[in-house]
Amino acid sequence: MKFGKIKKTICILLAGTMVLGTSLTAFASEQTPADGTETYTNVSEMAKFTFKGYNNGTLPTPTTTLGLLEYTLKTFVMGDEYNGPIGIVKAVLNQNGKEKNVYIVALSGTELIWSDYTGLQSTGAVTDLLCGFNLDNPYIKAVVKAMKQNIPAGSDVVFYGHSLGGMIAQEAAADKTIKRMYNVTNTVTFGSPLIKLLSRREGLVRRMCDTSDIVPVLSVYSLTPLAVIQYWGSERFSEDGGYNSKWLAAHNESYLRQDVWGGYDVLGIKGGNATMTFDMGAAAYYEAPGISWLHLKK
């Protein structure tokens, strides 16, 4: 067996361990041309931006079990073509006729993927379990590090996240370091369970949940007396995309559809008027490694 394959095997076995590196690598988006500033008016457009964290934005997310297998086989070997699940960009939020500068932090979800820069990413099943039980994990550590290195202290921040990324976004809104350094104004999630209810999350939280998507109830709260809040809490907003029992299709497709979610503004408020203006091509992406690949690469 070649040494490179041995290194990958070691990293798979160690997935979910702590981030040990001293810095995170930023990658400019290569898939979205820097074609100028645009204004985004609804939450499905923000979901599309969030989904760009997957596989460098080059492959559509799978909607069937077979498609999921094929997708995983393609993404895992992307190597140096992978950007990272943490997208950060400066934007102008306009709400009720008032403008202010904010930083968008968009987080993609579960994906078994390998980076030639930092190894196996902490976006796999281990992190799903850790988040579902409100436990510490390397993904949230990578988010904190990326924000500290790239967002000025005192800035207003809006989090977006799909699936696992939405759970991490809720963890970030409750993180002591983030709350101390920034003003978290809003957190919008797509197909994500309730996380950190009792941890004093900062800002307004909105969870977009397709009625056929089962993922939004897959956290510890579905097993406790707080299940009512998990299923029907005031943060949860449901729309029917017509997927019936096709939960994976609902989970990975519904939130991108304006015909389903176009009635919600960019902050997840139904009938709201908030818009975001930014250059999608100016976003930088950061990885969320499970271990320090630098030590194995030497």
Side-chain angles (χ1 to χ4, degrees), residues 54 85 107-111 121-132 137 139-140 160-171 189-193 195 215 251:
Y54 288 113
L107 309 173
S108 57
T110 305
E111 189 171 46
Q121 299 297 288
S122 60
T123 53
V126 172
T127 306
D128 280 302
L129 289 172
L130 292 173
C131 278
N137 61 83
Y139 194 166
I140 182 61
Y160 292 91
H162 174 246
S163 193
L164 169 61
M167 292 193 285
I168 296 293
Q170 293 176 74
E171 285 194 330
T189 70
F190 310 100
S192 299
I195 297 293
V215 177
H251 185 62

Side-chain angles (χ1 to χ4, degrees), residues 34 76 78 92 164 261:
F76 182 70
M78 291 194 76
V92 175
L164 169 61
W261 299 98

Side-chain angles (χ1 to χ4, degrees), residues 171-182:
E171 285 194 330
D175 184 84
K176 293 180 180 179
T177 299
I178 290 176
K179 291 194 296 183
R180 183 177 68 250
M181 293 187 64
Y182 306 107

Side-chain angles (χ1 to χ4, degrees), residues 2 7 39 53 62 74 92 95 97 138 146 157 241 243 252 266-267 286 288:
K2 293 182 179 180
K7 290 189 291 187
T39 297
K74 290 179 181 178
V92 175
Q95 186 178 26
V157 173
Y243 293 94
N252 285 335
V266 296
L267 298 180
Y286 303 86

Side-chain angles (χ1 to χ4, degrees), residues 45-294:
E45 293 176 325
M46 301 310 299
K48 291 176 182 177
F49 176 63
T50 303
F51 273 54
K52 287 184 178 294
Y54 288 113
N55 64 72
N56 199 11
T58 58
L59 299 171
T61 49
T63 57
T64 65
T65 303
L66 179 59
L68 179 61
L69 176 60
E70 294 174 345
Y71 174 91
T72 301
L73 292 175
K74 290 179 181 178
T75 58
F76 182 70
V77 295
M78 291 194 76
D80 62 0
E81 299 176 4
Y82 175 59
N83 274 350
I86 306 168
I88 297 178
V89 67
K90 188 175 182 179
V92 175
L93 171 66
N94 187 313
Q95 186 178 26
N96 299 324
K98 296 181 180 180
E99 292 187 350
K100 69 175 179 178
N101 292 325
V102 301
Y103 279 85
I104 295 172
V105 180
L107 309 173
S108 57
T110 305
E111 189 171 46
L112 182 62
I113 194 163
W114 173 271
S115 164
D116 284 347
Y117 297 100
T118 58
L120 190 70
Q121 299 297 288
S122 60
T123 53
V126 172
T127 306
D128 280 302
L129 289 172
L130 292 173
C131 278
F133 287 93
N134 288 330
L135 299 176
D136 199 12
N137 61 83
Y139 194 166
I140 182 61
K141 290 182 179 295
V143 171
V144 173
K145 184 175 292 186
M147 291 179 64
K148 289 172 67 176
Q149 292 178 355
N150 298 280
I151 300 179
S155 298
D156 290 336
V157 173
V158 179
F159 287 110
Y160 292 91
H162 174 246
S163 193
L164 169 61
M167 292 193 285
I168 296 293
Q170 293 176 74
E171 285 194 330
D175 184 84
K176 293 180 180 179
T177 299
I178 290 176
K179 291 194 296 183
R180 183 177 68 250
M181 293 187 64
Y182 306 107
N183 176 31
V184 181
T185 62
N186 299 83
T187 298
V188 181
T189 70
F190 310 100
S192 299
L194 177 66
I195 297 293
K196 294 290 185 180
L197 176 67
L198 304 178
S199 300
R200 298 183 179 179
R201 293 168 305 173
E202 187 173 75
L204 194 64
V205 179
R206 291 287 184 270
R207 294 190 299 125
M208 310 291 108
C209 305
D210 189 282
T211 55
S212 297
D213 186 357
I214 64 173
V215 177
V217 298
L218 299 181
S219 78
V220 67
Y221 292 120
S222 64
L223 306 175
T224 71
L226 294 172
V228 172
I229 300 175
Q230 166 78 309
Y231 282 82
W232 297 288
S234 60
E235 298 176 354
R236 178 187 172 109
F237 295 86
S238 299
E239 296 292 339
D240 186 358
Y243 293 94
N244 300 317
S245 62
K246 298 177 181 178
W247 71 268
L248 185 58
H251 185 62
N252 285 335
E253 187 177 79
S254 173
Y255 309 105
L256 305 174
R257 292 173 49 187
Q258 290 201 39
D259 62 316
V260 180
W261 299 98
Y264 294 78
D265 69 11
V266 296
L267 298 180
I269 300 173
K270 193 168 187 176
N273 59 19
T275 64
M276 285 285 190
T277 302
F278 62 95
D279 182 354
M280 193 172 288
Y285 292 87
Y286 303 86
E287 298 188 310
I291 65 171
S292 176
W293 170 232
L294 297 178

